[in-house]
Structure formats: C-alpha cells, structure tokens
Amino acid sequence: MKVLFITKQKSVAGSSYSVSYLAKGLAEKGHDVWLGARKEAFLLKLVESDKQLKTVHFAFKGYADWKTSREIAAFVKEHKIDIVNAQSGQDRFMMVLARFLFGLSAKVVFTRRQRPRDEPWIKRFLHTKTASIVVISDGLKILFKKKGYREDQLKVIYNGLPKALNKAVDPATVHVLRQQYRIPEGNKVVGCISRLKEQHQIIRACPFLAPNITLLFVGIEQAQVQEVIDDVAPQQHLVFTSVLDHQQVLNHYPLMDVNILASKMDGFGLTLVEAMALGVPVIGSDFGGIRSVIGDNENGLLFENGDIHGLADQINALLYDQLLRENLIKKGREAYLTRFNIEQTITAYEAYFQELLK
C-alpha cells in the first residue's frame, strides 16, 4: 500500500507521537509511507532519522486553503497514493475540497481523536461522503453517534505505545529532575501531564490533601492557573514545567506516585497509558474515551468532573492504600501490554486500510 498521512499540526501534540508510531510501523511492514506536514512541524522532527519514511511539505494556511488542497490532490495522483489519512480539522476540510473540487481519487480516512463539537449537519454529510472515520476509543464512538454519525461510519482503533517504553527512561535524569524541582525528601508526588485542560480541579483538591505533597504539572505554566492558585492558596509544593519534548516527559513519570488526567475533551488519554506502562497508578475524568482506557477500580480510578471532594478522596487512596496501589499498577501494566500496544494499533490500521481498498 501507498499511504499518505497529513496533519496541519505544527507544535508538540500527543497525536504527533501516535502518527509517528503508526507511520513507522507501517513502513516496517513494507508499505510505502509518506508524511505530509508543514516544513517546521514537530511530527517531521520525530521521524527525520527514519530512512524508511518519506516526507512532503504542505503549507496548510487555513480551512479554505484550496491551493494546498489542490497540491495534495496532485501529489496523490502523481505518486499513486492508495490511502490518505487526515488527522486534524483543517486537514479534513481540505480533503473535502480535494475530493469535490480537484477529483481526489484515493481512499480517505479521517482519524478523530477528540470529542465532536457542535457540528452542522452539512459538515457531517460532507465528512461521511469524503472519508471513512476512525475513532480512537469506544467512548468517543458513543459521542459521535450521539451527534448523528451512524454505527457503520465509525471504526474504533485504539492508540498504542511501544512495548519497550520503560527503556526510554533515564534514571540519572530522573534523579537530577528531583533535585532540580526541589522535591522534599519523603514528599508524595501527584502529577499531571497535559496541555491546559482541567488542571484547576487538581489544585482545588489541595485543601483536602496533606501539605507534604508535591503537585507536578508537566505541560503548562503557572501563569495559566495562577488565578486558581490565588483563590485556593495551597500549602503543597507546586512545580510547573511548561511544554517539554517527549523524551523529557517520559523522565517525569518515575517522579510521580499518581498521574491524573482531568479533562472534558480527551478521546483517549495517551498519558494514562504511558503512566500504566511505567508503573504509575492513574486517575482520570469519567468522560468520553478516558472510560475506554480506565476501568474504574480495575486498572485505575475515575472521578466525576467537578467533584473535587471525590477527586481528593481518590488521590489519598492511591497515595496511602498500598494494596490498592499495587493492584492498579499491576492491572494497568497488563492493559498496556494487551490492549494498548502499538503493534495492535498498526495491525488494526493495516487491516482497515486493506479492507477499504478491496
């Protein structure tokens, strides 16, 4: 197969890693794989050392960028691309233009990673006439069906991670980070790895947590939640790292006793699976695709968005109930190895693409 992945995403995003894992895996299986993105895109930096992948630069100047849409259609025709897999909203709209204005002939697949927003019927109509749709969790599929998408228009394929993820962690760097962040000896660390979502809920739980706890926020700056901090005046030690590259992020998991994803938008929650893979118990919002990753009291804990007391109770349980911790860590590791590994993701996409071509 000849496959073109396209994304307008320029900066660091979880989807960048997911696409890079998938593209590399398909290339290793012998498929001809291209990545189309802006010249400065973070995704292209992730794969620049991989000689099996090919890259092509597209401008992606906006939703109505018909010139780039025409370029993509011409590229697909010239290189006889079989499948185009679009990753973001802008990409999807340009594939609609390519199909109806420039005669795009390849099969098109849209990967949807977040909850559908309020979409007009015409958008849903054009999307389903243009492409097949992959959603990354069962919970996300339910949300799409509620928005009017049919069962047969949606294919669930989970995100996955490499099985040797723990080998990417450098113990020496972890030790340096603990000193750099001045985490007091004996302090438990409650972590959150995410761009700005619902981290304010974790801060609002502080009055119900012991003061000798460190809250480690990876991916945001303190200024983004300063108003909440001023309101709560937490006694705990707070650390903010701003945005980090993936290698740096992985070295933060071993600092944590708990990893929390508080979100009302995630279609999956890859940081939860990374934590499971690295032996950190997890708590997530009882929302959308997060439910597909966490089975409550099975491989993690779920909390209702807005229930600050409930969130605090769960944090305390995972910090101090050793039996619960050990069980969730074990089950989380099993879920990572059996359900959320990249080999399964690659195989599922390969089979789906081949099915569409038949």
Side-chain angles (χ1 to χ4, degrees):
M1 281 187 302
K2 294 186 176 183
V3 182
L4 170 65
F5 292 93
I6 61 169
T7 179
K8 67 91 181 176
Q9 185 69 40
K10 182 171 67 174
S11 57
V12 178
S15 61
S16 300
Y17 296 101
S18 296
V19 175
S20 70
Y21 295 148
L22 176 57
K24 289 177 182 178
L26 289 174
E28 288 170 0
K29 280 176 165 274
H31 300 292
D32 197 2
V33 181
W34 293 79
L35 290 175
R38 298 178 186 182
K39 187 176 183 178
E40 67 275 21
F42 177 71
L43 172 62
L44 299 189
K45 294 179 182 178
L46 285 176
V47 301
E48 60 187 359
S49 63
D50 195 310
K51 304 304 181 184
Q52 291 180 293
L53 294 174
K54 306 169 188 176
T55 60
V56 56
H57 302 147
F58 296 119
F60 294 111
K61 293 182 179 179
Y63 280 86
D65 182 5
W66 61 269
K67 291 184 178 179
T68 297
S69 185
R70 183 176 62 186
E71 288 175 8
I72 293 172
F75 179 89
V76 167
K77 182 177 181 180
E78 177 185 354
H79 294 274
K80 298 180 172 59
I81 301 295
D82 299 305
I83 298 278
V84 181
N85 186 195
Q87 303 294 319
S88 73
Q90 197 176 113
D91 315 335
R92 292 189 285 271
F93 190 77
M94 282 197 285
M95 287 301 93
V96 171
L97 295 180
R99 172 73 80 214
F100 291 104
L101 295 184
F102 305 114
L104 183 73
S105 57
K107 296 289 185 180
V108 179
V109 175
F110 293 162
T111 297
R112 302 296 299 264
R113 300 179 183 278
Q114 294 184 348
R115 64 178 173 86
R117 305 185 190 280
D118 293 330
E119 299 178 342
W121 71 268
I122 187 64
K123 179 178 179 180
R124 183 171 64 248
F125 173 80
L126 290 172
H127 277 201
T128 54
K129 287 296 183 183
T130 300
S132 303
I133 300 172
V134 169
V135 290
I136 60 175
S137 67
D138 300 288
L140 199 58
K141 180 178 180 178
I142 291 170
L143 294 177
F144 271 87
K145 287 171 66 177
K146 288 180 178 178
K147 291 292 185 179
Y149 288 83
R150 298 196 317 269
E151 173 92 19
D152 62 347
Q153 296 172 328
L154 304 167
K155 174 71 173 179
V156 177
I157 302 179
Y158 290 151
N159 281 341
L161 292 173
K163 285 189 175 180
L165 193 67
N166 60 314
K167 294 181 179 179
V169 174
D170 178 25
T173 301
V174 175
H175 178 70
V176 169
L177 289 173
R178 186 175 291 276
Q179 293 180 318
Q180 176 185 328
Y181 298 146
R182 300 178 180 177
I183 299 174
E185 190 68 31
N187 259 33
K188 302 284 189 180
V189 178
V190 175
C192 175
I193 297 179
S194 172
R195 59 190 172 91
L196 185 63
K197 291 178 182 176
E198 299 286 314
Q199 286 93 333
H200 65 88
Q201 297 188 81
I202 303 172
I203 297 171
R204 293 198 180 280
C206 283
F208 312 106
L209 306 176
N212 61 334
I213 289 175
T214 294
L215 270 65
L216 174 58
F217 294 96
V218 178
I220 64 171
E221 298 179 1
Q222 181 169 333
Q224 294 176 279
V225 289
Q226 188 61 53
E227 186 176 341
V228 183
I229 293 173
D230 292 341
D231 184 40
V232 174
Q235 300 178 49
Q236 291 79 9
H237 177 46
L238 305 185
V239 177
F240 297 85
T241 71
S242 70
V243 177
L244 302 176
D245 67 37
H246 193 234
Q247 179 56 56
Q248 292 173 309
V249 167
L250 291 176
N251 286 320
H252 283 72
Y253 285 103
L255 297 172
M256 300 176 183
D257 295 282
V258 179
N259 179 49
I260 302 172
L261 180 59
S263 170
K264 294 191 293 186
M265 62 186 295
D266 276 75
F268 188 75
L270 205 60
T271 179
L272 296 170
V273 181
E274 287 181 338
M276 291 177 187
L278 297 174
V280 183
V282 297
I283 298 172
S285 303
D286 187 7
F287 170 83
I290 294 176
R291 298 190 195 106
S292 297
V293 177
I294 296 179
D296 194 26
N297 278 297
E298 295 175 9
N299 61 343
L301 299 177
L302 293 171
F303 77 97
E304 194 71 33
N305 268 300
D307 182 5
I308 303 303
H309 285 88
L311 173 58
D313 287 344
Q314 291 184 332
I315 293 172
N316 285 322
L318 282 185
L319 289 180
Y320 304 113
D321 186 334
Q322 191 60 30
L323 187 60
L324 176 65
R325 283 181 56 79
E326 290 175 358
N327 184 58
L328 294 186
I329 289 171
K330 177 184 176 182
K331 295 298 184 181
R333 176 82 178 169
E334 289 175 0
Y336 153 64
L337 291 174
T338 60
R339 297 174 58 206
F340 306 126
N341 66 78
I342 192 59
E343 287 82 3
Q344 285 183 316
T345 304
I346 293 165
T347 299
Y349 265 97
E350 180 185 43
Y352 187 54
F353 288 170
Q354 290 174 336
E355 177 186 331
L356 293 176
L357 292 177
K358 289 179 183 178

